[in-house]
Amino acid sequence: MDLAPCPFCHLPVPSSELEWHANNHFLDEHEQQRLASDLELAQQIAFAPPSPPSLNSQVISDLPFDLGFEEKVNCLINFQSRSIFHKVEHGLMALLRKCLELESDNTTSILSGYVDHFQSLEYEDVGWGCGWRNIQMLSSHLLHQRQEEVKKVLFGGQGFIPDIPSLQRWLEIAWEKGFDEPGSEHFDGKIYGLKKWIGTTECAALLRSFGLKAMIVDFGPKEFESLYLSVPGSSAGVEGKSEGNGLKRRGIQVCGPMDRYVVKKIHGHSQAHSGVQEKSSSSSNITRENEGQQVLIDWIWNYFSDSNKPGNGHVIVSDKAPLYFQHDGHSRTIVGIQIKHQRNGVHQHNLLILDPAHRTAALEKSLKEKVGWQKLIKRGVHTLKKPQYQLCYVEPGIASGEEMELLKTISSVFLEL
C-alpha cells in the first residue's frame, strides 16, 4: 500500500486517504466521528462484491445512468457529502468587522452579515475550482442569513454546504430541469468529475433550480456590443468560439463558464429577451459621470448600501448577500465595500474580497492578530485591470410556478465601463 506522511501529525497514511486525514485536523470530535463512519461505509461499498442495483445502494457516481429523474434527486439528497472547510470560531466576518472598526472614522464599510470561507485544496481543486468555492461561500450566507426561506429548498433541505462533486451533480440536475439550456449544451449536460472552469451562469443556473433569484450583471466596454451577430427569426445572437484560452463566446444570452462575458445590452436595465424582469437592484443610482472601473465600484457600493438595516458607526452590516465576482482567469467573492473620505474631497473605495486561493487559516490568523489582513482582503479600484467583469447576486424570495419557468432562461444586465 502506498503511504504518505500527514503534513500536520506526520503519521503515515494511505495516499488515497491523505486529504481526508489531513482535513480531519480542522474538525471537532463530532465531525471526525461522522466522517470516519462515512469513510468506513465508502470502503465497504468499494470492496463489496457486485450486486443488483437498487435505490439504497446507489452512490453519487451512479446517478445519471440507472435512475429516473426524481430518483436521482432523492438519491443525491441522501448521498451528497458535506464540504470540509476550516471553521472559524465566531465566524470570519465577525473578525473582519472588528478590524474595520479599528480603522479611522473617515472610512465607512458595509459588510455581508455572515460568510464562511472555502479555500481551494491542493489535492482537490487548485487551478480550476474557484467557481465552485464561490458558490459554497455564497450558499453559506444564504443558509445562515435566510434560514426560513432558503434552508427548506437549497440542496434538498439538508442544511449544509455540499462538496464539489455533489455540487456538480446538482448542476447537472439543474440542466436536466431546463435551466440554462445553452450552458448545458456547451458541457454536453455533463460536469461531474470534470476539472472544468465554471462561471456566474453556472452559479445562477444551480441556485435558480432551487427557486433562488440569482441575477447577473455584466460590465464591459461599449465596443463589446459589436461582437454579436443577429440570427434571423431570433432575438439572440451567436458568435464563434475562442479556442485555446479556456474562454468561449456564444450568443447574447449569458451562458457557460469564463464566457469572455457574453452579454446582452439591455436599454433601461430591463430584460426583454426572456420575459423575466431581470434588473440591476442598484444600477438606477449609478452616477453616469464615473468612467471605467468606477462604474463597477459604484454599482457594488449601491448594492450593499441599499439595505434594510440602518447604519451604526462607520461599519455597517448589510442584509445583502455577497457577490460572485468573475473576471478572465479567476473568480472571487465580494463580501463588502469600503469608502475612505479624503481631505481633498475625493472618495477612495476598496472592495472587501474573500479569495478561494487564500488559506482560511492564514486569513483567520491575520484578522485575529490584526496584521496583514488588508493585503489579503482589500482591493482598490487600481487593481481592477481586466476589461470585463461579471457579478452574480441573489435577490430575496423563492420563485415558484410561472416565475420559476422564466428563471430557466439566463440573461444579464449590461453596464458600460
Side-chain angles (χ1 to χ4, degrees), residues 100-233:
L100 292 168
E101 287 173 345
L102 294 176
E103 296 195 313
S104 61
D105 290 337
N106 66 339
T107 64
T108 301
S109 302
I110 311 178
L111 290 172
S112 290
Y114 183 94
V115 187
D116 284 319
H117 180 256
F118 287 77
Q119 70 179 56
S120 292
L121 301 176
E122 182 177 357
Y123 299 103
E124 184 174 343
D125 66 297
V126 167
W128 61 272
C130 57
W132 300 106
R133 297 304 182 185
N134 291 310
I135 290 174
Q136 290 174 328
M137 285 191 256
L138 179 53
S139 298
S140 73
H141 171 91
L142 296 173
L143 285 176
H144 190 274
Q145 297 290 113
R146 304 183 187 178
Q147 287 186 6
E148 292 185 7
E149 64 176 8
V150 171
K151 191 173 182 179
K152 295 178 182 179
V153 299
L154 193 60
F155 307 127
Q158 296 302 292
F160 61 77
I161 310 298
D163 61 6
I164 290 177
S166 301
L167 290 177
Q168 290 177 325
R169 285 303 192 198
W170 280 118
L171 180 56
E172 289 181 346
I173 286 175
W175 288 336
E176 193 168 346
K177 287 181 178 179
F179 289 87
D180 187 25
E181 289 184 357
S184 175
E185 291 173 4
H186 175 78
F187 288 103
D188 296 324
K190 308 295 181 183
I191 193 72
Y192 175 78
L194 302 179
K195 297 180 179 180
K196 294 242 178 152
W197 289 350
I198 63 165
T200 53
T201 47
E202 283 69 47
C203 174
L206 192 156
L207 295 179
R208 285 181 176 207
S209 71
F210 299 110
L212 300 180
K213 301 174 183 179
M215 308 297 180
I216 296 175
V217 186
D218 283 275
F219 301 82
K222 183 176 179 59
E223 57 267 25
F224 189 62
E225 294 178 80
S226 64
L227 293 173
Y228 302 108
L229 302 174
S230 62
V231 178

Side-chain angles (χ1 to χ4, degrees), residues 226-267:
S226 64
L227 293 173
Y228 302 108
L229 302 174
S230 62
V231 178
S234 172
S235 60
V238 296
E239 292 184 322
K241 291 186 178 181
S242 176
E243 305 293 349
N245 59 1
L247 307 179
K248 67 178 184 300
R249 298 176 181 176
R250 281 199 304 260
I252 289 176
Q253 285 185 330
V254 181
C255 48
M258 311 297 293
D259 306 35
R260 193 86 180 173
Y261 314 122
V262 176
V263 297
K264 176 174 170 134
K265 177 68 173 181
I266 302 177
H267 299 286

Side-chain angles (χ1 to χ4, degrees), residues 350-411:
N350 287 305
L351 298 180
L352 304 174
I353 288 177
L354 294 182
D355 192 332
H358 292 154
R359 293 178 60 249
T360 311
L363 288 170
E364 179 184 19
K365 184 175 185 293
S366 66
L367 289 168
K368 282 185 174 179
E369 296 178 354
K370 300 177 176 61
V371 176
W373 63 272
Q374 295 94 335
K375 292 182 179 180
L376 295 173
I377 293 176
K378 287 188 180 183
R379 294 293 180 269
V381 179
H382 66 282
T383 67
L384 303 175
K385 299 179 180 180
K386 301 292 184 179
Q388 296 137 19
Y389 293 92
Q390 276 186 330
L391 295 174
C392 180
Y393 67 97
V394 181
E395 293 185 339
I398 304 296
S400 61
E402 182 180 353
E403 187 178 16
M404 190 76 162
E405 286 299 309
L406 293 174
L407 287 176
K408 291 181 177 180
T409 300
I410 300 178
S411 299

